[in-house]
Amino acid sequence: MKHKLNRRVASALALAIAAVLGTAPPQAQALGIKHFVDLDEKAGAGVVLAGSGRVAPILVGKDDFPGVVRAARDLQRDIGSVTGKTPQWIEGDPGTARDVIIIGTLGKNPLIDRLAQQGKLDVRELAGQWEGFVIQAVDNPMPGVQRALVVVGSDKRGTIFGTYAVSEQIGVSPWYWWADVPVAHHKALTVPAGTRIGEKPAVQYRGIFLNDEAPALSNWAKERFGGFNHKFYEKLFELMLRMRANYLWPAMWNSSFFDDDKENWPLADRMGIVMGTSHHEPMMRAQKEWHRYGKGPWDYHRNGEVLREFWAQGLRNAGNYDKVITMAMRGDGDEPMSQDANVELLQNIVRDQRAIIRKELGKPPEQVPQLWALYKEVQDYYEKGMRVPDDMLLLWCDDNWGNIRRLPTSEERKRSGGAGIYYHFDYVGVPRSYKWLNVTQIPKVWEQMNLANEYGANRLWIVNVGDLKPMEIPTEFFLAYGWNPRAWPAERLPEFLREWAAREFGAAHANEIASIVERYTRYNARRHPEQIDPDTYSLTAYDEAERVVADYNQLADEAKRVGQSLPKTMRDAYFQLVEYPVLASANAVDMLVSAGRNRLYARQGRVTTNDMAARVRRLFQRDADLVKQYQQGISGGKWNHMMSQTHFGYTTWDQPYRDVMPAVSELRVPEPGQLAAPNGIHRSDHMGVAIQGEPTAWPVFPPKPLVLPALSVFEKQPRYVEVFNRSSAPFDYTITASHPWLRLSHTGGRVAKDQRIMVDVDWNAVPTGTTQATLTIKGPDTAEVLVRVPVHKPADLTPASAQGHVESQGVVAIEAEHYTASYAPPGRQWLKIPGYGRTLSGMTTTPAAAPALAVKDGMHLDYTVNVFSAGDVKLHAVLGPTLKFQPGSGFRYAVSIDDEAPQEVNVHADQSEGFWSRAVSNNAVDFVTTHRITSPGRHTVKFWALDPGLVLQRLVLDAGGMRQSYLGPQESPYYPGK
């Protein structure tokens, strides 16, 4: 079939590309910024940073910002690490150096200002920019110097970001310390003549929030640094700046950035980090500070005077340090305020807080950055009419599960304070906490933050990264996308992971590593590991659980193979960033599914029930072994405690106190000649037979026919029967087929535990129109069972004549990107988001902020389907769990078959907590409409886009054969248009 051929071609192509990359000369890697450093030396080719046994000195103005000087010192160290030679540090005349590196801030470095005045340095667009920088190769910058690489920033952070951009380009990952990514060694570093790179951020404030940080990060920081002190934050700030982040909500569960270490604030200011406090900690004071110094209740109505003084002291402590002030108020401990809180009270709180800002900072509040976080019930206050001054930033929030709750309307976009987004990669709360591993797909982050950007919520982005360590990859994407969304359109999302992998581990394995990361995050996002139960994935329908485990374990094997092929210097980093999350995820799912199979086998009476129980125990222990390897077996034990988050044994939304192995059943297997149960076990009952797709097994009472899923000429996939033992004594069996064109992997044998027999067909020998065959299985004594084998080879449709998707097992399952035709009115487009969702990708519409459409506007995707019977069918539309992020009744799509009137569906008609909980847990929503197909044959299913923002993952046409499962049936046989 064509789709199988395409997969094989794509796989071969990927391997070929990897082979080519493996033999290519090394190149410097950087994410989102144009390549400008060559790793060789060519005479007259440009600025030689390193080559011929020498390195260019670094020239920094003595009056520049301390943070700029520190970043330049880091570059000096980085060049030394890369080349083995440390550049000379110069603050005056460089003498007759042939090549130099000049670093400075516009207006703070006389040499740079002079180069700009002379026209040698183009800084025209830098004046007045926020955090902009230019990196330029300059000829004859000063007497005695032939060439210079100039890094100039519009302000302090602009210069810092430009300096760290050079570090990344020469081969130093931002994660060199936080993930032990080794520094690449190169003898030569050259910036080509004529190079000029200009950069500035799209989102003004780009930050992270260390939250839910106990037990892992808290205990690690305490052991390594003594707590969340300036030693810890110096490492964190450097990492942030290397990723061009500028804003932090510090760890706050059991600590206070401002109170625990008085060096924290000055350090942030020197290094260039803008500080804030979380969504529920107003006026630059940590929640823990209230617990330490507050008097009376956290209740403005009853204790306003004390609270005002408490907040005023927060601003006194903050002084002139760079900050964004969180405003308003939530209940103590990140809880809703009391029931008697109302809009008027909250508005009074904001009014009083702004008066405190004016008094303590000596500035009009309009000149001081402030935000109001519309988190959970606070958004309800806004919707009920609460308003704050226009200069305050409205920080809209997601639902804690990566789905943005609200975005600015066209009127709200006019506010001078702008809007931002508070997003989550980690959460403690309903329906269940997720803190252990990375469960975030980059395509999902892109889809949601693209909405935010298009709807104007792009003044401030901050993301809850939990303990930081498991979330390295989505954290960097979030920040890179905030810096320059245009660098990462949807079609380039796969390239982000390839570039990331090449930067961290080299080009030779970049494709493989990118594929591994993409798949494990997709698998984990289907349902977070903390939410998977033994029966989440169907143990029988569509072999779902077996396929999911096989996919995970294949991925684990790939991850281990790639890790073993990497140089030893890379393996610690690889284990942290790739191998551990893959192995741990695969192990967890295998253990939980094995627990489910253990219970199923116990109901069927299989002797392998106990084997499966033993497997669960081994996998539970292996989880502990993997944690130990992460914490003590790599990097000299540097990451002790970092994987100590419990993750098995949830009974409520909150984390279990200790990991708990899932319950297993044990079967008491009778010995030969021994009675079991009231009537004993006869020899003829030793044999059990299970068929693919069915939970019950023979013998069963009342008797039930055994019918295999149909063998189809379009699928050309085998089916199977399992013969299993229900006693401790082996037995012999035989299996015979009713027709010679049935192919069996085994026609008999001895069964000690179980035997899977594959059933296939010689399709060249099957007569057209054949619909049924049988298998006869005989076991000990009189044991005999008949298995029906439906065979589908219709006369009026063949693989050669088929177009589109063909019904299989009573369903037509369609991946959204496999449409037959697409239609869009002027100014609109269909957009594929590669890797989005649970199975393959997503289809959405652009522009994301466009007005709603009507059916008559004609924006739809057409899918050709082939069905084998007429009658009523159900059409399942599986979409991403997009929330109603604009006021109104909800977002709509429409569906139709052939020329029938389209049926409109409001995806937000159900606003209940239960619906939301299922949607975020499943990472998808499934809507069902009923249609009538009047005749067998070829038909057209149409999906109509009405409101923007929806993402279609797949369609499933149920013609009566759909079985209950988590992911739904695999895609039906697909024949693209001829």
Side-chain angles (χ1 to χ4, degrees):
M1 286 169 56
K2 286 193 175 181
H3 67 295
K4 291 185 179 178
L5 178 62
N6 290 341
R7 291 194 194 105
R8 288 196 293 269
V9 171
S11 177
L13 180 61
L15 290 174
I17 292 172
V20 171
L21 288 173
T23 60
Q27 291 185 339
Q29 298 292 336
L31 294 180
I33 293 181
K34 182 181 176 182
H35 162 79
F36 63 85
V37 175
D38 292 334
L39 305 182
D40 55 13
E41 182 182 6
K42 298 177 182 177
V47 185
V48 179
L49 307 184
S52 302
R54 57 186 175 79
V55 291
I58 295 177
L59 182 60
V60 179
K62 57 183 176 57
D63 295 325
D64 219 319
F65 295 101
V68 169
V69 174
R70 189 193 184 284
R73 285 290 189 187
D74 283 346
L75 177 60
Q76 180 189 33
R77 182 193 65 205
D78 292 345
I79 292 174
S81 298
V82 170
T83 66
K85 290 184 176 295
T86 301
Q88 181 183 1
W89 183 269
I90 299 174
E91 292 185 352
D93 186 352
T96 58
R98 189 170 73 180
D99 301 273
V100 300
I101 301 169
I102 303 172
I103 298 172
T105 308
L106 206 60
K108 295 283 287 185
N109 186 307
L111 174 57
I112 284 177
D113 294 343
R114 185 165 61 250
L115 290 173
Q117 292 167 2
Q118 293 171 349
K120 295 182 178 181
L121 182 64
D122 184 0
V123 295
R124 286 170 294 180
E125 77 272 25
L126 274 185
Q129 266 191 10
W130 174 273
E131 298 178 348
F133 64 83
V134 165
I135 299 173
Q136 184 174 333
V138 175
D139 290 333
N140 303 312
M142 63 190 77
V145 177
Q146 296 179 24
R147 294 172 296 269
L149 179 68
V150 180
V151 179
V152 54
S154 62
D155 54 21
K156 172 172 63 177
R157 278 187 295 274
T159 311
I160 291 169
F161 293 149
T163 303
Y164 283 132
V166 178
S167 286
E168 185 183 11
Q169 290 263 336
I170 67 174
V172 179
S173 167
W175 299 93
Y176 79 91
W177 192 88
W178 279 93
D180 304 308
V181 177
V183 174
H185 298 290
H186 305 291
K187 293 182 178 179
L189 303 169
T190 304
V191 177
T195 293
R196 186 182 184 280
I197 304 294
E199 290 280 334
K200 63 178 180 178
V203 177
Q204 184 175 3
Y205 297 100
R206 307 162 307 282
I208 63 173
F209 178 22
L210 299 180
N211 191 218
D212 312 325
E213 66 272 18
L217 184 65
S218 295
N219 288 332
W220 174 82
K222 183 176 181 180
E223 181 174 289
R224 186 157 192 93
F225 298 109
F228 292 116
N229 53 30
H230 72 280
K231 297 177 183 178
F232 168 87
Y233 281 111
E234 184 174 18
K235 293 292 188 184
L236 180 69
F237 292 160
E238 182 188 331
L239 171 68
M240 293 172 62
L241 294 167
R242 286 179 182 266
M243 295 190 293
R244 294 182 289 282
N246 63 0
Y247 181 55
L248 177 69
W249 288 357
M252 46 69 62
W253 261 24
N254 291 296
S255 58
S256 167
F257 175 89
F258 315 102
D259 195 50
D260 293 343
D261 185 344
K262 299 304 182 183
E263 294 187 47
N264 285 345
W265 253 121
L267 176 69
D269 185 66
R270 286 196 306 273
M271 292 187 69
I273 296 296
V274 182
M275 291 305 302
T277 49
S278 72
H279 57 283
H280 67 100
E281 299 176 300
M283 300 291 280
M284 305 310 297
R285 300 219 71 171
Q287 176 189 358
K288 285 299 172 185
E289 293 179 67
W290 176 254
H291 295 168
R292 295 169 187 173
Y293 308 119
K295 298 178 181 179
W298 180 264
D299 185 320
Y300 199 75
H301 182 71
R302 294 186 292 156
N303 201 25
E305 184 176 349
V306 172
L307 283 165
R308 285 190 292 274
E309 174 55 28
F310 177 74
W311 292 334
Q313 186 59 51
L315 295 187
R316 293 178 203 129
N317 296 340
N320 292 323
Y321 294 139
D322 215 353
K323 56 191 169 294
V324 177
I325 302 174
T326 298
M327 303 289 283
M329 191 175 181
R330 279 196 90 208
D332 193 17
D334 198 15
E335 294 294 332
M337 292 181 67
S338 61
Q339 292 184 358
D340 59 353
N342 54 47
V343 168
E344 182 181 2
L345 175 63
L346 286 169
Q347 287 179 324
N348 289 339
I349 291 172
V350 171
R351 181 199 63 205
D352 293 349
Q353 288 173 335
R354 284 169 69 87
I356 295 170
I357 290 173
R358 182 184 296 275
K359 177 182 178 183
E360 298 298 336
L361 300 184
K363 296 180 182 179
E366 296 83 1
Q367 298 177 13
V368 179
Q370 304 152 59
L371 67 81
W372 181 31
L374 301 169
Y375 183 72
K376 289 189 176 180
E377 82 291 340
V378 180
Q379 181 182 323
D380 296 335
Y381 295 131
Y382 181 87
E383 306 295 2
K384 291 175 182 176
M386 178 176 171
R387 293 295 182 266
V388 295
D390 268 10
D391 61 273
M392 282 177 57
L393 182 146
L394 297 183
L395 187 66
W396 301 101
C397 304
D398 70 353
D399 60 354
N400 304 300
W401 287 73
N403 307 292
I404 295 174
R405 298 179 66 204
R406 179 78 146 72
L407 289 168
T409 64
S410 57
E411 282 300 310
E412 290 163 345
R413 286 170 227 163
K414 299 174 183 177
R415 299 178 70 260
S416 61
I421 295 295
Y422 169 34
Y423 202 71
H424 285 75
F425 296 157
D426 159 288
Y427 180 57
V428 170
V430 296
R432 186 164 290 179
S433 302
Y434 60 99
K435 298 174 58 181
W436 176 34
L437 293 174
N438 175 20
V439 296
T440 301
Q441 293 173 281
I442 283 176
K444 174 62 177 287
V445 179
W446 180 91
E447 181 260 335
Q448 288 290 295
M449 301 316 293
N450 177 64
L451 287 174
N453 189 44
E454 289 207 24
Y455 278 84
N458 51 13
R459 182 69 59 84
L460 184 153
W461 288 359
I462 187 160
V463 59
N464 184 329
V465 298
D467 296 315
L468 177 65
K469 274 296 294 169
M471 317 302 179
E472 298 98 336
I473 298 170
T475 297
E476 184 156 11
F477 177 78
F478 182 90
L479 296 170
Y481 192 67
W483 178 265
N484 185 6
R486 290 178 299 177
W488 303 110
E491 59 269 20
R492 285 204 70 223
L493 292 178
E495 190 65 24
F496 177 86
L497 285 178
R498 284 194 290 270
E499 290 187 12
W500 171 86
R503 186 192 69 190
E504 311 302 53
F505 305 110
H509 296 285
N511 285 353
E512 291 176 285
I513 293 172
S515 175
I516 290 168
V517 172
E518 188 278 325
R519 281 179 285 160
Y520 101 71
T521 51
R522 172 152 45 91
Y523 296 166
N524 279 357
R526 288 170 174 171
R527 194 172 188 88
H528 297 169
E530 293 90 339
Q531 284 195 295
I532 297 177
D533 294 320
D535 59 354
T536 293
Y537 294 110
S538 175
L539 298 166
T540 53
Y542 311 116
D543 296 321
E544 182 176 66
E546 185 174 316
R547 287 189 295 106
V548 167
V549 170
D551 287 346
Y552 263 114
N553 286 337
Q554 178 185 344
L555 195 61
D557 290 341
E558 289 181 40
K560 287 187 287 188
R561 176 181 55 78
V562 171
Q564 291 165 0
S565 68
L566 292 174
K568 288 185 178 179
T569 56
M570 293 182 177
R571 291 182 187 174
D572 286 350
Y574 181 79
F575 187 80
Q576 295 168 58
L577 294 169
V578 181
E579 191 170 357
Y580 173 78
V582 172
L583 299 187
S585 302
N587 186 77
V589 173
D590 195 346
M591 181 190 73
L592 291 159
V593 169
S594 294
R597 293 174 70 185
N598 161 263
R599 299 171 195 179
L600 174 65
Y601 290 0
R603 294 193 296 271
Q604 295 175 341
R606 298 195 191 203
V607 295
T608 48
T609 298
N610 297 346
D611 294 343
M612 207 48 71
R615 179 178 181 82
V616 172
R617 294 188 181 96
R618 287 196 305 272
L619 294 171
F620 184 68
Q621 178 58 46
R622 185 164 184 263
D623 175 79
D625 294 341
L626 288 169
V627 169
K628 185 176 181 180
Q629 184 178 354
Y630 191 111
Q631 296 187 154
Q632 300 173 27
I634 63 169
S635 305
K638 176 179 177 179
W639 302 110
N640 193 31
H641 304 294
M642 193 56 85
M643 283 299 131
S644 59
Q645 175 61 51
T646 54
H647 42 277
F648 297 135
Y650 278 81
T651 57
T652 68
W653 64 264
D654 201 8
Q655 65 190 29
Y657 179 67
R658 292 284 185 266
D659 283 320
V660 180
M661 190 188 83
V664 294
S665 299
E666 296 224 352
L667 195 68
R668 182 171 295 167
V669 181
E671 296 295 327
Q674 298 297 313
L675 296 179
N679 298 317
I681 179 166
H682 301 286
R683 181 164 169 74
S684 61
D685 292 332
H686 287 189
M687 181 176 77
V689 177
I691 61 170
Q692 184 177 7
E694 288 292 335
T696 55
W698 181 91
V700 63
F701 185 83
K704 178 182 177 182
L706 300 184
V707 184
L708 275 176
L711 289 157
S712 167
V713 70
F714 302 100
E715 281 187 284
K716 293 186 177 178
Q717 293 293 318
R719 308 302 182 203
Y720 64 82
V721 172
E722 289 182 333
V723 177
F724 60 85
N725 202 333
R726 304 171 76 226
S727 76
S728 59
F731 65 83
D732 295 327
Y733 79 98
T734 61
I735 180 168
T736 56
S738 60
H739 295 78
W741 38 258
L742 273 181
R743 294 176 173 175
L744 305 176
S745 61
H746 301 79
T747 57
R750 172 157 291 196
V751 177
K753 291 191 175 182
D754 51 30
Q755 176 74 63
R756 177 172 287 189
I757 300 99
M758 305 305 299
V759 182
D760 207 346
V761 170
D762 179 356
W763 288 107
N764 292 325
V766 177
T768 299
T770 302
T771 59
Q772 186 99 321
T774 57
L775 300 173
T776 302
I777 304 173
K778 294 183 178 181
D781 290 350
T782 60
E784 181 175 326
V785 62
L786 195 71
V787 179
R788 299 178 191 170
V789 185
V791 180
H792 190 218
K793 187 180 180 183
D796 55 351
L797 186 69
T798 68
S801 64
Q803 292 185 31
H805 291 81
V806 179
E807 179 184 338
S808 174
Q809 300 184 57
V811 300
V812 184
I814 305 165
E815 292 296 337
E817 72 171 63
H818 292 153
Y819 52 85
T820 308
S822 65
Y823 303 89
R828 304 290 180 101
Q829 286 184 320
W830 285 100
L831 176 69
K832 182 179 82 170
I833 308 176
Y836 178 94
R838 307 197 307 180
T839 49
L840 182 63
S841 61
M843 293 298 299
T844 189
T845 61
T846 64
L853 296 171
V855 168
K856 64 181 177 61
D857 294 313
M859 189 162 193
H860 58 96
L861 296 172
D862 287 2
Y863 298 89
T864 299
V865 299
N866 300 268
V867 297
F868 298 108
S869 60
D872 289 341
V873 296
K874 295 183 183 300
L875 181 59
H876 294 252
V878 180
L879 291 84
T882 305
L883 299 183
K884 188 169 71 72
F885 57 76
Q886 289 286 276
S889 59
F891 298 167
R892 304 156 301 129
Y893 71 88
V895 285
S896 61
I897 298 179
D898 297 329
D899 295 325
E900 70 174 353
Q903 298 183 39
E904 289 193 10
V905 177
N906 183 343
V907 303
H908 299 125
D910 187 345
Q911 289 288 295
S912 67
E913 180 84 5
F915 178 87
W916 170 83
S917 180
R918 290 188 298 273
V920 298
S921 298
N922 297 339
N923 196 24
V925 287
D926 183 352
F927 297 97
V928 183
T929 50
T930 301
H931 307 260
R932 175 167 286 275
I933 290 180
T934 57
S935 63
R938 186 175 296 170
H939 297 271
T940 301
V941 174
K942 301 178 182 180
F943 180 88
W944 305 76
L946 301 180
D947 287 289
L950 298 180
V951 186
L952 177 67
Q953 297 187 33
R954 63 199 321 249
L955 295 167
V956 181
L957 189 71
D958 178 11
M962 191 164 176
R963 298 171 181 238
Q964 180 65 41
S965 67
Y966 185 73
L967 297 173
Q970 291 175 280
E971 187 170 25
S972 299
Y974 171 51
Y975 300 85
K978 304 294 190 291

